Amino acid sequence: MKHHHLHHKVSIINPHPELVIHQQALRQCTLCPQMIRPVITGEPVMSPVMSIGQAPGIHEAKVMRPFGWTAGKTLFKWFEGIGLDEETFRQRVYMSAVCRCFPGKNPKGGDRMPSELEVANCSGWLQAEIHLLQPQLVILVGKLAINQFLRAKKLDEVVGFCHRQVIDGREVDFIPLPHPSGLSTWPRMEPGKTLLQAALQAIATHPAWRHICDLPSASG
């Protein structure tokens, strides 16, 4: 696989005009009446690495950024272990999600799972980002994100491996991770514990991840 645009001289830390315009339109979206706005977006960085989460939780609106609460602390601890702390990750990885608004609470506990129609409504925004970014590495966080791209009944079948697919005529590597929610015991028990480490190792050794780790810091 040729990593043909790793040699870009322009720092990907600078906001990208097309992504800024895309996000401005995205933040105006009102397609799903049951979803609780605001729309949550990450930084508009043109990066070879993209992360796709499930949907914001109830607290993300307070900080207006993805994974801005408890689950994020766990997720960023994982990424810090392979070279990028939270702020650097946010500046160097395009953070996306299957749905960008809080779905609301499930009366039986936890957050409501977005409906198929809501996922379909939001998928146009996600596809536009994949088309704009042309990422080489996509990190899928949680089952809802994994199921948009990989067919798996259980996390054990897909986590710990790099899955290569052709999108828009280009090869893209998908590396799935379990959801970092405290409600999920999977990453803390076997085989999840070992598979999570294997997945993080696959990210750490990927050329696109190594490239963003090696960029000069924003402070110089």
Side-chain angles (χ1 to χ4, degrees):
M1 178 180 175
K2 292 190 183 77
H3 295 277
H4 34 252
H5 61 279
L6 285 184
H7 55 268
H8 275 187
K9 296 249 188 323
V10 183
S11 166
I12 60 169
I13 292 169
N14 296 327
H16 190 272
E18 280 184 80
L19 281 174
V20 170
I21 292 163
H22 164 84
Q23 288 191 342
Q24 284 167 347
L26 169 54
R27 283 193 286 270
Q28 303 303 313
C29 181
T30 55
L31 280 175
C32 304
Q34 276 190 285
M35 284 287 192
I36 299 164
R37 299 175 79 231
V39 174
I40 305 294
T41 63
E43 297 295 319
V45 286
M46 185 58 83
S47 173
V49 182
M50 181 176 187
S51 69
I52 304 177
Q54 303 195 136
I58 195 167
H59 297 293
E60 264 69 18
K62 295 173 188 171
V63 290
M64 290 302 288
R65 51 196 208 165
F67 284 106
W69 218 250
T70 320
K73 286 187 174 62
T74 302
L75 183 69
F76 291 117
K77 208 174 281 173
W78 295 348
F79 292 138
E80 193 156 359
I82 54 169
L84 290 182
D85 63 30
E86 177 177 349
E87 286 313 312
T88 313
F89 183 96
R90 290 185 184 280
Q91 289 167 3
R92 298 186 185 185
V93 174
Y94 188 86
M95 295 187 74
S96 182
V98 176
C99 293
R100 314 303 170 93
C101 300
F102 174 49
K105 286 293 181 191
N106 182 334
K108 294 177 182 165
D111 294 349
R112 178 177 73 83
M113 182 62 77
S115 70
E116 281 185 25
L117 179 60
E118 288 167 336
V119 169
N121 282 345
C122 220
S123 73
W125 299 109
L126 181 56
Q127 295 309 321
E129 287 163 351
I130 291 171
H131 188 68
L132 264 174
L133 284 156
Q134 300 197 342
Q136 290 153 16
L137 171 61
V138 177
I139 301 166
L140 302 169
V141 185
K143 274 186 191 155
L144 187 65
I146 293 167
N147 288 338
Q148 304 312 304
F149 299 94
L150 307 172
R151 289 284 154 256
K153 288 192 171 66
K154 287 160 56 191
L155 288 171
D156 309 24
E157 296 168 13
V158 289
V159 176
F161 307 98
C162 182
H163 306 261
R164 186 163 289 183
Q165 293 188 7
V166 174
I167 303 218
D168 289 343
R170 294 174 52 261
E171 289 184 329
V172 183
D173 291 332
F174 289 86
I175 300 181
L177 294 175
H179 199 277
S181 159
L183 300 171
S184 169
T185 56
W186 192 89
R188 299 194 296 273
M189 296 166 70
E190 293 300 350
K193 215 171 171 177
T194 299
L195 292 174
L196 169 61
Q197 289 313 311
L200 292 170
Q201 201 46 43
I203 294 170
T205 56
H206 194 281
W209 180 266
R210 291 208 307 266
H211 170 68
I212 63 169
C213 285
D214 291 344
L215 287 171
S217 67
S219 57

